[in-house]
Amino acid sequence: MNPAMNSALNSGLNSTAGMAPVATPYFFYGLAALAVVSGFLVITRRNVVHSALALIVTLLSVAGLYLMLYAPFVAGVQIIVYAGGIMVLFLFVIMLVNIERSVKERRFNSMWPVGLSAAGALFTLFVFAFAKGRALFPDRMMSLPESSNTQQIATMLYGDAGKIGPYTFAFEIASLLLLVAILGAVIMTKKKI
Amino acid sequence: MSAPTGEDTKNISHLAPSNRENSDQGETERKNVGGNDLTFENPDKTYLDSNELIINMGPQHPATHGVLRVILKLDGEKVLGTECVIGYLHRGVEKIAENRTYTMFNPYVDRMDYVAAVSNGLGYCEAVEKLLNVEATPRAKYIRVILTELNRIASHQLWLGTHALDIGAMTPLFYTFRDREEILKIFEKYCGARLTTHAFRIGGCQYETYAGFEKEVKNFLTFVAPKIDEYETLLTTNRIWMERTKNVGVISAADAIALGVTGPVLRASGVKWDLRKAQPYAAYSEFDFEIPVGTNGDTYDRYLVRMAEMRQSLRIIEQAVNSIPEGPIMAKVPKVIKPPVGEIYHSIESPKGELGYFIVSDGSTQPYRLRVRPPSFVNLQALDIMVRGLLVADVVAVIGTIDIVLGEVDR
Amino acid sequence: MAEDAKTPAPPPPPEGEKKPSAEMPAAPVSNAPVKPVAPAPPAKPAVPADSTTPPKPAAPAKPTGPVPLLWSSPLVEKYRSQYGTALEGQTYLGQNYLTVKSELIPNILRLLRDEEQFDYCVDITAVHYPKREKQFDVVWILYSFPRNERLRVTTQIADGASIPSSVSIWPTANWLEREVYDMFGIQFDGHPDLKRILLPDGWKGFPLRKDYGILQQDKEWVQINLGIESGQ
Amino acid sequence: MPNMIAIWMPNFIMSYLGSTVTPGEAGSQFWALIYVLIIFAGVSVAVMSMNWLERKALAHFQIRLGPMRVGPHGLLQPIADALKLMLKEDIIPSEADQFVFWVAPLIGLLAAFTVYTVIPFGPSQAVSDMNIGILFMLGVSSLGVLGVVVAGWASNSHYPLIGALRSSAQMVSYEVAMGLAVVSAILMTSLNEKGTGTLSMIGIVRAQEQQGIWFIFKFFPLGLIAFIVFAIAMIAETNRAPFDMAEAESELTAGYHTEYSGLRWSLFMLAEYAAMIAVSSIAVTLWLGGWMRPFVRLLHGPSWDFIFSLFPGLTFLGLAAIAFVGVLRMPAHSFFKIQKIGLEAFGGLLGFIALMLLVIAIAGRSQDPSIGSRLNESIGYIYWFLLKVAVFMYLFIWYRATWPRYRFDQLMRVGWKVLLPISLAVLIVTAIVGVLVA
């Protein structure tokens, strides 16, 4: 066996603390640009199916960003739930839309100033948070070991070793809420159960 | 109703064949047989056009068994109504008959229900014989019964294979074709043709049976009986098959009679009526067989009825081939067939239902008018009430279960 | 026909057409007053009986063919007493038919269905006699499941005249009448959707009329499309 | 210089063979790339041979011969088909949405091939061992439906649209039952001292190794039920008979790919078969012990190891024997001369592979870490994995030959009212039993 290779492997296996970044910052910029551009396409395409496809690209690039942040679980869930599940349902509905008619439809209705101001406010908030919030956020990557990302999320949500986790209650409430929503949807749409 | 507008109408005419291009395809109001209104109007300008979808099934479609075109009006996948567009295979058989002598026209009838050509020939020959007031000889009648029943089995086998294929079971098709081949071999040996046999002549049969005919038919009987069981093991208790066919395409006995439906479709609805028993022709009164009937009138019952009919046909053939009398095969008919002036209607139980010939003679060598009462044509009319409220997949199953042959529908 | 005698089936009545061996009603028409198929008039058809067949056709049956005979049966009597000479019952080779004036058509058909249990309309068709004043024979072929009996109803109508539709009596008449319209151009009043069925909607003429030559359509087509005089 | 390579090459190969982790984990981009290429080529070849096998097996189910003309017993038929499809005119309907029509097959193909990065053909025979392997696989394979949906929509035709609607509803529904069945298998991985399970594909097989039991037999019959639920759901996920609603040819002509032709159509086929192999691999990994050979616990020891390591060679020997029997059964007519030679050559190739494998098995039977034993081990892993997948592939064909097609509402009913409750119940019971055992 090649000792060099072996040691490299060992170090790769054992060193969870000093983990090298998954990829260079270029990946970040690439993914972020992709997300922004496709996000822009989502709102500017006249054809809704094109918008939906662009939205899928946005979601996938966000999933890529999660991966870069050593949050593979979140990335996987993003792909399954958003790109795989929700977008399919979106497309399901969109396919029934009369595209020729929707293309001719006016793009912006009279509520556009409200929307614009809301977007502006949100943007200001982001800028403010970015400028002022340096102190709030750690300026470096959180050193969570990638290999135990799933377990860490589990600990957060369900607690560990008999202790209730910090988000257990919120998580359960959210799941209950979703259950109620599902039941409501079923009852509303189904005349005879 | 509103004028034809919008994409739906455009779509239909777009898909229509060219000779219908300038016609009023966009007609917005169509009625069904029961008199209920079926409006094909374009939904209003809703943003979501999810209300209804009009799709055009055929004439080039794998499951319409030829060139049948069915315009389906769908709500999602639910069928709200149908309209059959037929005639793509119309060859004007009835007009041809008026321009041919009785003998010359005989081969043409084979081209109507081409999967049961022998039955067609039997009906025609018997009708003309009746008009001539002649009767075929006993031996000819027996040969006719044997060949017609073989043909019934062949027709049902072909139906089973294609019907199962429509529902998604590929394999039965090949099994049935393998076994149908044996029947076609017998036909080929008997009269030289496999499909459009032209097996009978007015007054009897042209050919004496070949040497070993009876043995081969008997061999076939022992060969095919287990094969029918084999088809049944594939399908009868198959859960998916049952789910796909039970309570699908139900037609009540009253509806079936009102719509003139005959054959296995009628019998599956519980009406025990078979022309072979009710008004026996050829030599059928001499054989012992049963009329299988269903109870629910659904696709599954029609399947069971046809499977049972194949077995009954085997019984008839067995009796016939064991007691086939000696004697001439042609009754004495004039060389030039010139029936007296008069009208006659004669019908037989073809594999599809009542196949009737209404012949008007003016005393010349050519029929003055020859009308074919095609079972497929009349049975197809019941498609609409059978598929209402079902899904697209069921339309395919129901088209299959009616057992139409477009050559006969369109003539 | 020695075999006939040997059959296990009941000996056939004189008419070969109606053997009362029909097994019927599972469902629909059970309220039938069961007249055990009596319309067999005993004396009539010497011609079409089974027993007489072998010798008959030996001679070319041209000059001495069977002729339509008068058909007397309770059914005919009943309606004749109602409608008089507008209706006539005949039988030919054992097959019965009623010749009816066209005004009576919807009534008589409805009565036949309701009173006489002719619940199954086998076929509707027409015959064209161009030399006659009333050019068309319209023929209804009926069958009764309870009685196991066939009956034809014939009426004569002139070209261009219309005749009431029987779709409301037998739904099956829908397509059958459409085909008659398609082939002969006979109008059926009250038909829900009377349009061509087998021929394309733009077709010219009605092909089963006797004056419709079999070549004219082909000729016209080749003249327009191929620029030649005749395709024959 | 050649000398350098001669020294360096074995060392390099050895460095790979010696590693006990996947190239992705070892950070070896070179080997990862090689793996990706091997997998891409391998999957393509597998799809082609699967194509041949399906036609052949289906034909024999249906008393036909199947392809017989192109090459001996139609062996070259897939190649001929591929050539034909590449040369065919590529038709894009004028009313179609050009871009989406163009991109749709690529989405399906991309999704189908991406999942192969985490499929563990052996403990180190995978491109990468992701921490969220199974989640990644389910997620990416669920992206495949986007290709179908978008293709159906972009064709701008009714039948494809209905096909697309059907398949989107179908895939979303069956993913639920499928996911729950997967979770119950993942729960079983946590039955160790630490009490923590894993989502990694390799980790799941390792857990089965440690517990010494395939999860299909774990907590009998819980594992079996979950496996059956998954096995049903995966047929629906890949749109295969009897759940091939989306392309039900008797109803929708060809469903979502009605308007496609030529190369683009073949990409759909490629994606479909690749997805079949991928989901079968998930089933094998989760329940059938992945790369583990059968009876590891019952029949262990070096001699049993040796006997089992002979299997790959013997399999190829059997295939070669079948080929030569085919040669013998060919009619003695000059027309068959070329076919005979071809089949002989093919049989000879199989025989040669068999010989090589047997040599490796015999040479590498010692336990010490030599290149032979490592190679032997790797071949064993890959062989058993592929064999299990091949069984699933055969089952796919068998189902198709046997069953009629479900109707859409029945399919949904089976998915939501039968499979979902069952998988949920199995999940809960598995959790309870697991807690009790632990």
Side-chain angles (χ1 to χ4, degrees):
Chain A
M1 248 185 282
N2 189 334
M5 187 72 179
N6 229 4
S7 64
L9 290 178
N10 287 339
S11 68
L13 269 181
N14 303 333
S15 60
T16 44
M19 203 187 297
V22 167
T24 53
Y26 299 115
F27 269 91
F28 169 78
Y29 289 121
L31 286 171
L34 199 59
V36 169
V37 168
S38 53
F40 193 68
L41 286 178
V42 172
I43 56 163
T44 52
R45 290 285 85 195
R46 280 184 167 269
N47 191 324
V48 271
V49 173
H50 293 179
S51 295
L53 286 177
L55 186 54
I56 291 168
V57 176
T58 313
L59 293 170
L60 287 179
S61 34
V62 171
L65 290 177
Y66 287 142
L67 267 184
M68 292 190 64
L69 293 170
Y70 295 104
F73 185 83
V74 182
V77 169
Q78 167 96 357
I79 292 174
I80 284 194
V81 173
Y82 284 99
I86 290 180
M87 284 318 294
V88 171
L89 293 179
F90 266 35
L91 280 168
F92 190 92
V93 175
I94 287 170
M95 275 194 293
L96 300 169
V97 170
N98 191 333
I99 293 292
E100 279 102 64
R101 203 171 291 156
S102 76
V103 166
K104 292 185 199 105
E105 201 97 329
R106 266 185 59 212
R107 296 299 293 166
F108 299 102
N109 57 18
S110 54
M111 299 297 279
W112 66 269
V114 182
L116 196 66
S117 51
L122 206 60
F123 184 72
T124 326
L125 185 68
F126 279 148
V127 171
F128 182 76
F130 184 73
K132 292 281 179 183
R134 281 270 167 106
L136 296 174
F137 301 114
D139 61 345
R140 54 178 180 80
M141 206 182 304
M142 284 183 55
S143 59
L144 293 176
E146 186 205 354
S147 55
S148 60
N149 176 254
T150 315
Q151 285 86 337
Q152 297 218 347
I153 288 174
T155 316
M156 289 248 190
L157 290 183
Y158 302 109
D160 191 18
K163 277 185 295 188
I164 291 176
Y167 303 112
T168 307
F169 187 65
F171 182 70
E172 293 298 331
I173 286 289
S175 65
L176 199 66
L177 201 66
L178 282 174
L179 187 66
V180 170
I182 291 172
L183 288 179
V186 168
I187 286 168
M188 268 160 54
T189 50
K190 196 109 173 153
K191 292 174 192 92
K192 183 174 60 104
I193 296 172
Chain B
M1 295 297 147
S2 64
T5 49
E7 285 98 35
D8 292 339
T9 331
K10 187 193 87 191
N11 231 327
I12 288 174
S13 59
H14 167 69
L15 292 162
S18 58
N19 59 0
R20 284 166 192 260
E21 201 85 291
N22 48 4
S23 62
D24 55 343
Q25 276 300 318
E27 198 171 10
T28 48
E29 184 185 341
R30 313 193 199 255
K31 299 255 171 69
N32 77 320
V33 283
N36 300 334
D37 277 7
L38 159 60
T39 50
F40 271 44
E41 65 184 314
N42 196 26
D44 279 335
K45 306 273 184 250
T46 45
Y47 191 73
L48 279 176
D49 258 359
S50 59
N51 299 353
E52 57 190 40
L53 180 69
I54 292 183
I55 70 168
N56 183 57
M57 205 174 190
Q60 310 295 333
H61 188 279
T64 52
H65 292 231
V67 283
L68 171 66
R69 172 168 169 231
V70 186
I71 302 170
L72 298 172
K73 184 185 167 204
L74 304 177
D75 170 18
E77 286 219 23
K78 205 171 121 200
V79 179
L80 298 178
T82 64
E83 186 186 342
C84 288
V85 180
I86 56 176
Y88 292 91
L89 207 55
H90 179 65
R91 292 151 294 178
V93 164
E94 292 173 11
K95 188 74 177 177
I96 293 172
E98 293 173 12
N99 293 278
R100 296 282 181 278
T101 66
Y102 287 95
T103 318
M104 281 162 77
F105 182 65
N106 197 353
Y108 280 94
V109 295
D110 289 351
R111 272 80 181 166
M112 293 190 308
D113 182 357
Y114 39 79
V115 301
V118 180
S119 287
N120 292 1
L122 177 70
Y124 176 71
C125 290
E126 289 213 328
V128 178
E129 281 160 16
K130 196 153 212 174
L131 198 59
L132 283 169
N133 209 1
V134 190
E135 201 160 336
T137 59
R139 183 172 174 81
K141 282 183 173 179
Y142 268 68
I143 294 173
R144 284 177 172 188
V145 166
I146 293 170
L147 292 179
T148 313
E149 290 305 312
L150 283 174
N151 202 184
R152 186 185 309 278
I153 296 172
S155 169
H156 281 358
Q157 279 174 336
L158 190 123
W159 160 80
L160 176 66
T162 50
H163 181 46
L165 186 67
D166 287 345
I167 295 186
M170 295 168 79
T171 308
L173 178 77
F174 296 96
Y175 286 19
T176 56
F177 267 68
R178 169 194 63 191
D179 305 336
R180 181 169 168 266
E181 188 65 23
E182 301 302 316
I183 297 174
L184 298 187
K185 274 182 195 158
I186 292 176
F187 287 166
E188 190 176 12
K189 261 189 159 174
Y190 175 71
C191 59
R194 289 156 54 88
L195 198 65
T196 47
T197 46
H198 190 203
F200 308 138
R201 299 294 183 274
I202 296 161
C205 308
Q206 186 174 6
Y207 307 108
E208 184 51 83
T209 55
Y210 58 90
F213 173 77
E214 291 165 35
K215 193 165 153 276
E216 274 188 23
V217 171
K218 281 178 190 164
N219 283 348
F220 170 75
L221 295 180
T222 50
F223 163 79
V224 85
K227 302 293 182 197
I228 296 174
D229 298 338
E230 193 181 351
Y231 312 150
E232 290 225 51
T233 53
L234 269 174
L235 297 173
T236 305
T237 52
N238 185 320
R239 283 195 67 92
I240 302 179
W241 179 261
M242 284 161 84
E243 287 199 30
R244 282 300 305 275
T245 52
K246 279 200 168 167
N247 294 321
V248 167
V250 180
I251 185 164
S252 68
D255 278 351
I257 290 173
L259 283 164
V261 170
T262 46
V265 184
L266 178 69
R267 290 192 280 276
S269 299
V271 182
K272 197 167 187 178
W273 185 77
D274 188 320
L275 272 171
R276 290 175 292 175
K277 282 268 195 214
Q279 301 190 332
Y281 53 93
Y284 280 108
S285 56
E286 295 160 33
F287 305 121
D288 179 29
F289 63 97
E290 264 136 48
I291 307 174
V293 287
T295 47
N296 302 328
D298 57 10
T299 304
Y300 188 66
D301 275 11
R302 288 188 277 274
Y303 158 76
L304 290 180
V305 162
R306 287 197 178 96
M307 298 309 279
E309 266 180 26
M310 281 199 242
R311 296 212 169 85
Q312 293 301 326
S313 292
L314 292 181
R315 265 179 82 185
I316 296 173
I317 298 168
E318 193 175 9
Q319 293 169 44
V321 82
N322 281 331
S323 60
I324 183 165
E326 293 298 318
I329 50 163
M330 273 298 269
K332 287 213 168 67
V333 287
K335 281 260 181 307
V336 178
I337 290 168
K338 242 178 160 176
V341 182
E343 302 175 0
I344 205 85
Y345 176 80
H346 181 71
S347 62
I348 64 157
E349 183 76 25
S350 91
K352 316 273 188 293
E354 176 175 351
L355 171 68
Y357 290 88
F358 175 68
I359 307 179
V360 180
S361 163
D362 60 349
S364 72
T365 55
Q366 298 175 345
Y368 185 74
R369 165 96 175 95
L370 187 142
R371 156 76 182 165
V372 184
R373 191 269 180 196
S376 297
F377 176 77
V378 181
N379 291 358
L380 182 60
Q381 200 176 175
L383 175 73
D384 186 71
I385 66 161
M386 281 159 90
V387 299
R388 270 169 195 254
L390 302 182
L391 303 177
V392 178
D394 293 328
V395 176
V396 171
V398 172
I399 291 175
T401 190
I402 299 177
D403 190 14
I404 49 164
V405 165
L406 265 296
E408 189 179 62
V409 173
D410 296 344
R411 280 156 291 138
Chain C
M1 298 272 114
E3 276 76 10
D4 281 0
K6 280 186 282 182
T7 53
E15 283 96 331
E17 186 70 17
K18 11 179 146 119
K19 296 186 182 160
S21 58
E23 287 138 279
M24 218 324 263
V29 216
S30 50
N31 56 346
V34 185
K35 293 179 224 163
V37 195
K44 260 185 307 91
V47 201
D50 289 337
S51 50
T52 55
T53 6
K56 258 270 158 180
K62 174 177 12 158
T64 59
V67 285
L69 300 170
L70 220 58
W71 176 40
S72 56
S73 78
L75 189 151
V76 182
E77 297 307 321
K78 188 172 132 195
Y79 290 121
R80 271 187 87 90
S81 64
Q82 239 175 309
Y83 296 107
T85 52
L87 174 138
E88 199 182 332
Q90 279 174 307
T91 182
Y92 178 73
L93 289 173
Q95 300 191 343
N96 307 321
Y97 57 96
L98 293 174
T99 313
V100 183
K101 286 251 165 67
S102 59
E103 306 85 64
L104 283 184
I105 272 304
N107 283 342
I108 207 89
L109 291 177
R110 194 172 284 280
L111 286 177
L112 281 174
R113 187 195 69 174
D114 294 341
E115 292 180 0
E116 305 295 331
Q117 304 167 330
F118 283 96
D119 43 6
Y120 164 29
C121 175
V122 180
D123 201 358
I124 300 174
T125 186
V127 189
H128 187 212
Y129 296 98
K131 297 200 183 75
R132 245 169 35 187
E133 191 197 342
K134 288 189 163 181
Q135 289 196 353
F136 295 103
D137 266 5
V138 181
V139 183
W140 285 261
I141 301 170
L142 309 179
Y143 177 82
S144 162
F145 281 106
R147 300 159 65 136
N148 187 25
E149 191 184 330
R150 283 190 196 285
L151 176 68
R152 289 205 301 272
V153 180
T154 311
T155 190
Q156 296 190 351
I157 63 162
D159 188 13
S162 65
I163 153 168
S165 165
S166 48
V167 173
S168 55
I169 308 172
W170 298 284
T172 182
N174 189 328
W175 282 20
L176 296 170
E177 283 175 359
R178 273 176 71 185
E179 193 182 342
V180 171
Y181 165 74
D182 197 1
M183 295 297 164
F184 292 93
I186 296 172
Q187 292 286 338
F188 289 88
D189 287 343
H191 188 285
D193 186 24
L194 193 65
K195 58 178 189 185
R196 289 196 183 272
I197 182 165
L198 290 178
L199 299 174
D201 291 359
W203 194 270
K204 280 188 225 121
F206 300 99
L208 280 183
R209 292 188 177 196
K210 286 287 172 186
D211 47 18
Y212 188 95
I214 49 172
L215 293 181
Q216 69 192 48
Q217 194 83 16
D218 179 51
K219 247 185 183 160
E220 191 186 318
W221 192 88
V222 294
Q223 279 167 5
I224 293 169
N225 290 289
L226 303 179
I228 55 176
E229 197 47 46
S230 165
Q232 295 298 312
Chain D
M1 195 63 187
N3 201 16
M4 281 284 285
I5 291 173
I7 296 167
W8 174 79
M9 198 67 175
N11 275 345
F12 191 72
I13 291 171
M14 198 56 214
S15 76
Y16 156 67
L17 283 172
S19 86
T20 50
V21 291
T22 58
E25 200 166 342
S28 164
Q29 277 107 340
F30 176 78
W31 277 111
L33 195 66
I34 296 280
Y35 261 64
V36 168
L37 289 178
I38 288 175
I39 283 174
F40 191 80
V43 170
S44 303
V45 169
V47 167
M48 277 167 103
S49 41
M50 178 69 194
N51 183 340
W52 179 82
L53 204 68
E54 171 153 28
R55 292 165 75 164
K56 226 41 194 175
L58 210 54
H60 288 296
F61 277 120
Q62 298 167 344
I63 48 170
R64 297 182 284 129
L65 286 174
M68 285 298 277
R69 294 300 178 92
V70 189
H73 288 266
L75 274 171
L76 301 178
Q77 186 73 41
I79 297 170
D81 279 351
L83 280 176
K84 181 200 76 175
L85 288 169
M86 279 175 209
L87 297 176
K88 259 179 112 168
E89 186 189 355
D90 179 27
I91 300 166
I92 296 182
S94 56
E95 291 289 309
D97 190 310
Q98 311 278 327
F99 172 72
V100 182
F101 193 85
W102 179 81
V103 87
L106 298 181
I107 296 176
L109 196 67
L110 207 67
F113 273 93
T114 310
V115 293
Y116 283 93
T117 47
V118 291
I119 290 176
F121 296 92
S124 60
Q125 279 78 7
V127 177
S128 178
D129 178 28
M130 278 197 196
N131 174 35
I132 50 151
I134 184 72
L135 206 62
F136 177 81
M137 271 199 93
L138 290 179
V140 174
S141 64
S142 76
L143 289 183
V145 67
L146 286 174
V148 171
V149 171
V150 158
W153 175 83
S155 301
N156 196 11
S157 167
H158 281 153
Y159 287 124
L161 183 68
I162 293 181
L165 286 174
R166 283 181 175 191
S167 71
S168 55
Q170 172 184 341
M171 286 187 172
V172 170
S173 318
Y174 274 76
E175 238 159 50
V176 181
M178 195 174 179
L180 286 172
V182 165
V183 170
S184 74
I186 291 168
L187 268 190
M188 291 173 179
T189 63
S190 66
L191 292 168
N192 51 19
E193 309 84 55
K194 279 197 292 178
T196 47
T198 174
L199 292 177
S200 134
M201 297 291 272
I202 287 178
I204 290 165
V205 184
R206 286 255 187 253
Q208 299 181 56
E209 252 176 6
Q210 276 160 19
Q211 298 176 25
I213 189 169
W214 293 3
F215 281 161
I216 187 174
F217 302 118
K218 187 90 180 174
F219 299 150
F220 191 82
L222 290 177
L224 186 64
I225 296 172
F227 168 73
I228 289 171
V229 168
F230 184 89
I232 295 171
M234 81 186 194
I235 303 167
E237 276 288 293
T238 46
N239 279 327
R240 288 284 298 185
F243 301 116
D244 52 347
M245 268 359 77
E247 45 194 299
E249 75 273 356
S250 61
E251 297 150 29
L252 305 179
T253 51
Y256 62 91
H257 56 65
T258 304
E259 305 287 346
Y260 280 82
S261 68
L263 189 63
R264 237 173 272 288
W265 178 84
S266 72
L267 291 184
F268 272 120
M269 288 295 109
L270 194 60
E272 180 182 325
Y273 282 94
M276 277 159 64
I277 299 174
V279 288
S280 305
S281 309
I282 300 181
V284 167
T285 310
L286 288 179
W287 282 281
L288 295 181
W291 63 77
M292 289 159 73
R293 70 168 171 82
F295 309 115
V296 239
R297 212 179 212 183
L298 205 64
L299 313 172
H300 62 281
S303 49
W304 279 113
D305 282 346
F306 174 64
I307 289 170
F308 275 101
S309 72
L310 290 176
F311 268 70
L314 292 177
T315 309
F316 273 90
L317 211 59
L319 292 175
I322 291 171
F324 280 112
V325 168
V327 171
L328 289 180
R329 288 180 58 194
M330 272 195 182
H333 189 276
S334 58
F335 179 77
F336 291 92
K337 208 167 180 179
I338 297 175
Q339 296 237 337
K340 225 175 215 170
I341 293 169
L343 197 56
E344 272 166 356
F346 185 66
L349 182 70
L350 291 174
F352 178 71
I353 295 172
L355 208 65
M356 294 295 289
L357 290 173
L358 286 175
V359 165
I360 290 171
I362 292 164
R365 68 182 182 281
S366 62
Q367 292 295 304
D368 57 314
S370 69
I371 194 163
S373 69
R374 283 292 189 181
L375 206 57
N376 189 15
E377 241 174 47
S378 310
I379 287 169
Y381 294 144
I382 294 172
Y383 170 78
W384 289 112
F385 190 88
L386 291 184
L387 188 71
K388 290 168 190 171
V389 172
V391 170
F392 276 97
M393 293 292 109
Y394 183 75
L395 286 178
F396 272 118
I397 302 170
W398 195 354
Y399 298 154
R400 188 174 165 202
T402 311
W403 281 325
R405 185 179 300 116
Y406 259 114
R407 204 172 59 204
F408 188 65
D409 58 329
Q410 293 164 347
L411 170 97
M412 294 307 256
R413 202 186 61 222
V414 170
W416 287 105
K417 293 193 178 166
V418 180
L419 292 186
L420 183 62
I422 289 178
S423 56
L424 207 57
V426 166
L427 176 61
I428 292 168
V429 177
T430 310
I432 292 169
V433 174
V435 167
L436 291 181
V437 168

